[in-house]
Amino acid sequence: MHAPRLLFILPVFLSILLIPYSVSASETFLMPLGPVAEEQKVHFFWAMALTMVAVLPVFILVPVILFKYRRKKGHGFYAPKWETYGPLEVIMWGVPFLVIIVLSVMLWRATARLDPYKEIQGVVPPVKVQVVGLDWKWLFIYPELDIATVGELVVPVHTPVSMILTSDTVMQSFFISALAGQIYVMPGMTTKLNFIGTKTGDTRGENTQYTGNGFVDQNFAVKVVTDEEFEAWVKQVRTGGIVLSPENYNRLAQRNTKKQAYKVLGNSKMPENTLYFNLPGTDLFHEIVMRYHSGKPLSIEEQPGTRKFGRGEDDAEGAQP
């Protein structure tokens, strides 16, 4: 009787135990770098444990019933007129009902605690980052530092990060699993995301909503570094970056991946497939958002993600149709 149980139960528990090792730490909240992802991890395991209250009896009783009532040498009692049993009905329906109630309360409370719009209080002011979704890359603007990057997001450890996000193309899904969770971005609209890194380390962010040919490459490196390393990185961006002029933004906003954009705008002072920019003092993020609030439709030439955007019929080098 014990062997059939093990055959059904062991694979389940082994799969659960191996989840953190099946993907790298840069891709999962199961190895978090901050309190937001840490609470998501705790909630996940509580939800899984409560679900097992209803699931485990199935895994245990199915092989027991198959063994006990097997055709040959079975010892189960056959009762053809037996239809219902009150206590069993209460257990079968009551336990899942209670599990759903508990999970609902936990989810409601966790949703309130992890509100992405809620600013995180720290001992130092937050680092402000403006995020723009493009095809097929993310543009990160640090308005207080007058720099911007593509393919790399760097934040100091133990410092809150306050993001405001939008899209200059189609709807997209911004996701940093090990730090902040997921939030949608849309053209002409803004959303907010707040998080803090409590451990130094590298992780990865991505777009989780399919947007075309270059979707698979729309990811970026996320680095949580010390204050000294962050200051050194800011100097590196300022030294190696190019001016994010309207012309360069038009080239960046073409339908190409960060690797293809690097061939057009990159230089030897920038890491491979990463772009550094210096801002000319304009409020680029505000201009991008207000592009969609003129009260009239945008022409094809004004729409990033189209072949004619910014350059008529000519695409940026390496752009995909």
Side-chain angles (χ1 to χ4, degrees), residues 185-231:
V185 298
M186 297 178 64
M189 302 178 67
T190 60
T191 52
K192 296 181 181 180
L193 186 65
N194 291 272
F195 65 90
I196 185 172
T198 53
K199 302 176 184 176
T200 57
D202 297 341
T203 182
R204 191 181 74 162
E206 58 190 332
N207 171 30
T208 59
Q209 179 155 320
Y210 182 73
T211 54
N213 294 342
F215 161 75
V216 69
D217 295 315
Q218 192 173 348
N219 52 62
F220 54 93
V222 182
K223 300 179 180 180
V224 183
V225 300
T226 62
D227 292 339
E228 294 76 15
E229 291 173 331
F230 182 73
E231 292 177 2

Side-chain angles (χ1 to χ4, degrees), residues 33-107:
L33 293 178
V36 176
E38 179 68 39
E39 187 153 352
Q40 291 175 333
K41 173 184 175 182
V42 172
H43 179 72
F44 170 77
F45 279 108
W46 267 110
M48 186 172 59
L50 290 171
T51 304
M52 286 296 103
V53 174
V55 173
L56 280 180
V58 176
F59 286 110
I60 295 173
L61 292 177
V62 167
V64 170
I65 292 172
L66 291 176
F67 180 81
K68 186 174 182 179
Y69 294 95
R70 66 192 188 279
R71 185 172 183 179
K72 294 182 178 180
K73 297 183 180 180
H75 301 287
F77 176 71
Y78 178 58
K81 296 183 179 181
W82 180 75
E83 294 181 357
T84 184
Y85 180 60
L88 183 60
E89 292 286 341
V90 172
I91 295 174
M92 290 174 58
W93 295 102
V95 172
F97 177 78
L98 291 176
V99 169
I100 292 173
I101 294 297
V102 174
L103 283 176
S104 299
V105 172
M106 288 182 60
L107 180 60

Side-chain angles (χ1 to χ4, degrees), residues 24 169 189 258:
S24 66
T169 178
M189 302 178 67
K258 61 181 184 293

Side-chain angles (χ1 to χ4, degrees), residues 238-259:
R238 288 172 175 166
T239 302
I242 63 175
V243 176
L244 190 55
S245 61
E247 294 76 18
N248 284 336
Y249 180 78
N250 287 347
R251 297 188 183 98
L252 179 66
Q254 298 291 328
R255 298 188 74 205
N256 52 27
T257 64
K258 61 181 184 293
K259 181 178 180 180

